[in-house]
Coordinates of all heavy atoms in Angstrom, one line a residue:
G1 N -37.0 -119.9 131.0 CA -37.0 -120.1 132.5 C -36.9 -118.8 133.2 O -37.2 -117.7 132.7
G2 N -36.4 -118.8 134.4 CA -36.2 -117.6 135.2 C -36.4 -117.9 136.6 O -37.0 -119.0 137.0
P3 N -35.9 -117.1 137.4 CA -35.3 -115.8 137.2 C -33.9 -115.9 136.7 O -33.2 -116.9 136.8 CB -35.4 -115.1 138.5 CG -35.4 -116.2 139.5 CD -36.1 -117.4 138.9
V4 N -33.4 -114.7 136.2 CA -32.1 -114.5 135.7 C -31.5 -113.4 136.5 O -32.2 -112.4 136.8 CB -32.0 -114.1 134.2 CG1 -30.6 -113.9 133.8 CG2 -32.7 -115.2 133.4
Y5 N -30.3 -113.5 137.0 CA -29.7 -112.4 137.8 C -28.3 -112.0 137.3 O -27.5 -112.9 136.9 CB -29.6 -112.9 139.3 CG -29.0 -111.9 140.2 CD1 -29.6 -110.7 140.4 CD2 -27.7 -112.1 140.8 CE1 -29.0 -109.7 141.2 CE2 -27.1 -111.2 141.6 CZ -27.8 -110.0 141.8 OH -27.2 -109.0 142.6
D6 N -28.0 -110.7 137.2 CA -26.7 -110.2 136.8 C -26.1 -109.5 138.0 O -26.5 -108.4 138.4 CB -26.9 -109.2 135.7 CG -25.6 -108.6 135.2 OD1 -24.5 -109.0 135.7 OD2 -25.7 -107.7 134.4
P7 N -25.1 -110.2 138.6 CA -24.5 -109.6 139.8 C -23.6 -108.4 139.5 O -23.3 -107.6 140.4 CB -23.6 -110.8 140.3 CG -23.3 -111.6 139.1 CD -24.5 -111.5 138.3
E8 N -23.2 -108.2 138.3 CA -22.4 -107.0 137.9 C -23.3 -105.7 138.1 O -22.8 -104.7 138.6 CB -22.0 -107.0 136.5 CG -20.8 -108.0 136.2 CD -20.4 -107.9 134.8 OE1 -20.3 -106.8 134.2 OE2 -20.3 -109.0 134.2
S9 N -24.5 -105.8 137.7 CA -25.4 -104.6 137.9 C -26.3 -104.7 139.1 O -26.9 -103.7 139.5 CB -26.3 -104.5 136.6 OG -27.1 -105.6 136.5
G10 N -26.6 -105.9 139.6 CA -27.5 -106.1 140.7 C -28.9 -106.2 140.1 O -29.9 -106.3 140.9
D11 N -29.1 -106.3 138.8 CA -30.4 -106.4 138.2 C -30.8 -107.9 138.0 O -30.0 -108.7 137.7 CB -30.5 -105.7 136.8 CG -30.4 -104.2 136.9 OD1 -30.8 -103.7 138.0 OD2 -29.9 -103.6 136.0
G12 N -32.1 -108.1 138.2 CA -32.6 -109.4 137.9 C -33.8 -109.3 136.9 O -34.4 -108.2 136.7
A13 N -34.1 -110.4 136.4 CA -35.3 -110.5 135.4 C -36.1 -111.7 135.8 O -35.5 -112.8 136.0 CB -34.8 -110.5 134.0
A14 N -37.4 -111.6 135.8 CA -38.2 -112.7 136.1 C -38.2 -113.8 135.0 O -38.3 -115.0 135.3 CB -39.7 -112.2 136.3
T15 N -38.0 -113.4 133.8 CA -38.1 -114.4 132.7 C -36.8 -114.3 131.9 O -36.2 -113.2 131.7 CB -39.2 -114.0 131.7 OG1 -40.4 -114.0 132.4 CG2 -39.4 -115.1 130.6
G16 N -36.3 -115.5 131.5 CA -35.1 -115.6 130.7 C -35.2 -116.5 129.6 O -36.1 -117.4 129.6
Y17 N -34.3 -116.4 128.6 CA -34.3 -117.2 127.4 C -32.8 -117.6 127.2 O -31.9 -116.7 127.2 CB -34.9 -116.5 126.2 CG -36.3 -116.1 126.4 CD1 -36.6 -114.8 126.9 CD2 -37.3 -117.0 126.1 CE1 -37.9 -114.4 127.1 CE2 -38.6 -116.6 126.3 CZ -38.9 -115.3 126.8 OH -40.2 -114.9 127.0
L18 N -32.5 -118.8 126.9 CA -31.2 -119.3 126.5 C -31.3 -119.8 125.1 O -32.2 -120.7 124.8 CB -30.7 -120.4 127.4 CG -30.7 -120.1 128.9 CD1 -30.3 -121.3 129.7 CD2 -29.7 -118.9 129.2
T19 N -30.5 -119.4 124.2 CA -30.5 -119.8 122.8 C -29.1 -120.2 122.4 O -28.2 -119.4 122.4 CB -31.0 -118.7 121.8 OG1 -32.3 -118.2 122.3 CG2 -31.1 -119.2 120.4
L20 N -29.0 -121.5 122.0 CA -27.7 -122.0 121.5 C -27.6 -121.7 120.0 O -28.4 -122.2 119.2 CB -27.6 -123.5 121.8 CG -26.3 -124.2 121.4 CD1 -25.1 -123.6 122.2 CD2 -26.3 -125.7 121.7
R21 N -26.6 -120.9 119.7 CA -26.5 -120.5 118.3 C -25.7 -121.5 117.5 O -25.1 -122.4 118.0 CB -25.7 -119.1 118.2 CG -26.4 -118.0 118.9 CD -25.8 -116.7 118.8 NE -24.4 -116.6 118.5 CZ -23.6 -115.5 118.5 NH1 -24.1 -114.4 119.0 NH2 -22.3 -115.6 118.2
A22 N -25.8 -121.4 116.2 CA -25.2 -122.4 115.3 C -23.7 -122.4 115.4 O -23.0 -123.4 115.2 CB -25.5 -122.1 113.8
D23 N -23.1 -121.2 115.9 CA -21.6 -121.1 116.1 C -21.2 -121.7 117.4 O -20.0 -121.6 117.8 CB -21.1 -119.7 115.9 CG -21.7 -118.7 116.9 OD1 -22.4 -119.1 117.8 OD2 -21.3 -117.5 116.8
G24 N -22.2 -122.2 118.2 CA -21.8 -122.8 119.5 C -21.9 -121.8 120.7 O -21.7 -122.2 121.8
K25 N -22.1 -120.5 120.4 CA -22.2 -119.6 121.5 C -23.6 -119.6 122.1 O -24.6 -120.0 121.4 CB -21.8 -118.2 121.0 CG -20.4 -118.1 120.6 CD -19.9 -116.8 120.3 CE -18.4 -116.8 120.0 NZ -17.8 -115.5 120.0
L26 N -23.8 -119.1 123.3 CA -25.0 -119.1 124.0 C -25.5 -117.7 124.2 O -24.8 -116.9 124.8 CB -24.9 -119.8 125.3 CG -26.2 -120.1 126.1 CD1 -27.1 -121.0 125.4 CD2 -25.8 -120.6 127.5
E27 N -26.7 -117.4 123.7 CA -27.3 -116.1 124.0 C -28.1 -116.2 125.3 O -29.0 -117.1 125.4 CB -28.2 -115.6 122.8 CG -27.4 -115.2 121.6 CD -28.3 -114.7 120.5 OE1 -29.5 -114.7 120.6 OE2 -27.7 -114.3 119.5
V28 N -27.9 -115.4 126.2 CA -28.5 -115.3 127.5 C -29.3 -114.0 127.6 O -28.8 -113.0 127.6 CB -27.5 -115.4 128.7 CG1 -28.3 -115.4 130.0 CG2 -26.7 -116.7 128.6

């Protein structure tokens, strides 16, 4: 999906990916 926004840096990205790992953590 997207967009994705990081308020810490002020950077945004038009496209994003979310991946639920086997250990239950989420890669953004």
Side-chain angles (χ1 to χ4, degrees):
V4 178
Y5 178 66
D6 179 4
E8 285 180 48
S9 66
D11 289 335
T15 305
Y17 302 90
L18 304 175
T19 304
L20 185 58
R21 300 184 338 192
D23 65 1
K25 294 189 177 194
L26 186 66
E27 288 184 357
V28 179

